[in-house]
């Protein structure tokens, strides 16, 4: 990291667990407001809160949308015929990412990095796309291995294959 990059982040605060929870609560309040004020736009890719079974399996999402499991700090997203499991935190400084349903993208509230619905980095201070968990189909569920995290810059092949195809 160059001195310029270091200076740009001076004063940045790495979020604590409390900050993470507050960001998640704020996000949920914004989602509720978005669903109430712009239900038609938010309906295309809604946000739901979910919980995993003990072995980290989730029902396959029936439609496009984003589901957040706060306990395991992950995002389950269906985009077309693919389901992804992302790390909830921005790869730049671990701030909880927010879903912007109207724009079908993720955004970091701290430094404004933007990602597509597939987790691909678009712009901002981050230097890579959202981190993905290893996933596999398990019957009518998707199983997430929270011990296998793939980063686009260091695990390019695995990162590119970290999704499941659904009918």
């Amino acid at each position: 990291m160059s001195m310029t990059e270091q200076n740009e982040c001076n004063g940045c605060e790495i979020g604590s667990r409390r900050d993470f929870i507050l960001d998640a609560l704020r996000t949920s309040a914004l989602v509720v407001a978005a669903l109430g004020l712009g239900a038609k736009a938010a309906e295309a890719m809604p946000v739901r809160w979910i919980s995993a079974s003990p072995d980290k399996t989730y029902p396959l999402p029936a439609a496009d949308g984003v589901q957040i499991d706060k306990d395991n700090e992950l995002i389950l997203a269906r985009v077309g015929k693919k389901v992804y499991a992302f790390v909830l935190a921005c790869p730049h400084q671990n701030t909880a990412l927010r879903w912007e349903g109207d724009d079908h993208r993720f955004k970091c509230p701290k430094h404004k990095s933007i990602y597509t619905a597939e987790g691909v980095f678009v712009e901002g201070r981050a230097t890579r796309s959202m981190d993905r968990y290893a996933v596999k189909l398990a019957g009518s569920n998707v199983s997430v291995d929270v011990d296998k995290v793939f980063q686009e810059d260091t695990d390019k092949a695995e990162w590119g294959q970290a999704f499941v195809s659904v009918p």
Side-chain angles (χ1 to χ4, degrees):
M1 181 181 294
S2 72
M3 279 303 269
T4 304
E5 290 171 325
Q6 287 176 351
N7 289 337
E8 287 178 3
C9 286
N10 279 349
C12 294
E13 195 175 292
I14 295 177
S16 65
R17 185 164 185 80
R18 182 178 179 178
D19 291 337
F20 170 80
I21 291 169
L22 288 173
D23 281 343
L25 290 172
R26 287 183 192 111
T27 300
S28 64
L30 289 171
V31 168
V32 169
L35 290 174
L37 297 175
K40 187 170 184 171
E43 185 178 321
M45 294 218 29
V47 174
R48 289 185 32 221
W49 298 106
I50 56 172
S51 294
S53 65
D55 61 348
K56 310 294 185 290
T57 61
Y58 304 87
L60 279 173
D64 285 358
V66 172
Q67 302 174 7
I68 299 172
D69 180 346
K70 294 187 300 183
D71 294 335
N72 291 299
E73 299 181 358
L74 71 82
I75 301 166
L76 193 67
R78 179 171 177 160
V79 182
K81 296 191 179 285
K82 294 181 181 178
V83 176
Y84 303 89
F86 300 111
V87 174
L88 182 58
C90 178
H92 177 236
Q93 287 197 336
N94 296 321
T95 300
L97 293 164
R98 294 189 180 150
W99 174 248
E100 295 184 335
D102 290 344
D103 296 323
H104 300 285
R105 67 184 188 183
F106 294 98
K107 187 172 184 180
C108 178
K110 192 168 210 162
H111 294 117
K112 314 302 181 224
S113 291
I114 296 171
Y115 307 88
T116 67
E118 295 86 0
V120 176
F121 174 70
V122 176
E123 65 182 57
R125 283 196 180 174
T127 58
R128 66 175 189 265
S129 296
M130 292 167 60
D131 296 338
R132 293 180 179 171
Y133 288 112
V135 292
K136 64 181 178 181
L137 284 176
S140 61
N141 295 316
V142 61
S143 177
V144 180
D145 186 343
V146 297
D147 295 322
K148 289 186 183 174
V149 177
F150 302 121
Q151 297 177 350
E152 180 192 33
D153 56 346
T154 59
D155 310 302
K156 187 116 179 125
E158 295 90 346
W159 185 88
Q161 296 299 314
F163 65 87
V164 294
S165 295
V166 294

